Amino acid sequence: MAAELHPRSGKLIGLSNSNRTAQRNQPVQEFNHGLVLSREPLRDRDVFTVRIDKKVNSWSGSIEIGVTALDPAALDFPSSATGLKGGSWIVSGCSVLKDGRSVLEEYGRDLDQLGEGDRVGIQRSGRGELHLWVNGQDCGAAASGLPARLWAVVDLYGKCTQVTVVSCEPPPPSSEGEAEEEEEASGVQDESTAGPRQP
C-alpha cells in the first residue's frame, strides 16, 4: 500500500510532498477541519505511521488517529475525527471512540502529550483488532471486531498542525510477539533434535 494521503481532506488541509505531508491552514485561528485519510484501505498488519512535524501552543487537544469504513472519495468530511460515524474507531488523548462514543478510557499513551518528531501509527491486526503504535511501540488492542476494509484517519486537531506519512508496512516480527513464537518453536525443535541428555 502506498504511504500517501487521499487527495480529499478536511477544508483547512493543504497537502504537499506527493500527498505525504498535511498541514492545517490558519492553525492559530482554527483548531478543527484538519481531517486526512489514507489514499487506500489498510492491509491487515500494516501500520500507517505519521510523524508530528509541527505543533502550536494554542488550543487543547492534539493529534487524533484511527480507522474508518467510510470511503474518503465519497465522504462528507466532519469538522473532526470524533464526528465520523458509520464504522469509525478513533484514539483521542487516552480514549478510544467508536462512532463518536467513548468505548475505552485510559488507553495507551496520551496523544495530547506527544511532541514534534514523535511518530504515531494505527493498525488493523489480522485478528481484526485496532492497535495504536507510538514511536515504534505497540500500545495493545484498543478495539476488536473491526471490518476488513478500513482507511487510516489522522486528525490534525488542536495543537497538531502538520504531519508527514513516514511508512505503511507491517512492524518488525519482534514487535508483535512473533519472535517469541519463533523462539518457542525453535526451542522445541532444538530439544527434539538434540541427543539424549548426558548424566
Side-chain angles (χ1 to χ4, degrees), residues 65-68 87-91 97-99 130 143-147 150:
I65 192 166
V67 294
T68 185
S88 301
W89 291 260
I90 304 296
V91 181
L97 297 97
K98 179 182 180 194
D99 294 338
L130 180 71
S144 59
L146 273 64
L150 295 167

Side-chain angles (χ1 to χ4, degrees), residues 34-52:
L35 204 53
V36 292
L37 280 74
S38 58
R39 183 175 187 89
E40 301 168 9
L42 292 175
R43 292 186 307 225
D44 281 357
R45 296 191 61 248
D46 278 359
V47 181
F48 189 87
T49 304
V50 298
R51 178 186 64 234
I52 299 172

Side-chain angles (χ1 to χ4, degrees), residues 46-48 65-67 91 107 121-134 137-143 146 176:
D46 278 359
V47 181
F48 189 87
I65 192 166
V67 294
V91 181
Y107 168 76
I122 203 74
Q123 174 193 43
R124 182 195 185 278
S125 74
R127 293 188 294 266
E129 296 174 334
L130 180 71
H131 285 253
L132 173 72
W133 291 75
V134 177
Q137 298 295 309
D138 183 0
C139 295
L146 273 64
E176 287 191 310

Side-chain angles (χ1 to χ4, degrees), residues 45 133 170-182:
R45 296 191 61 248
W133 291 75
S174 60
S175 300
E176 287 191 310
E178 292 172 11
E180 291 173 14
E181 292 171 15
E182 288 171 12

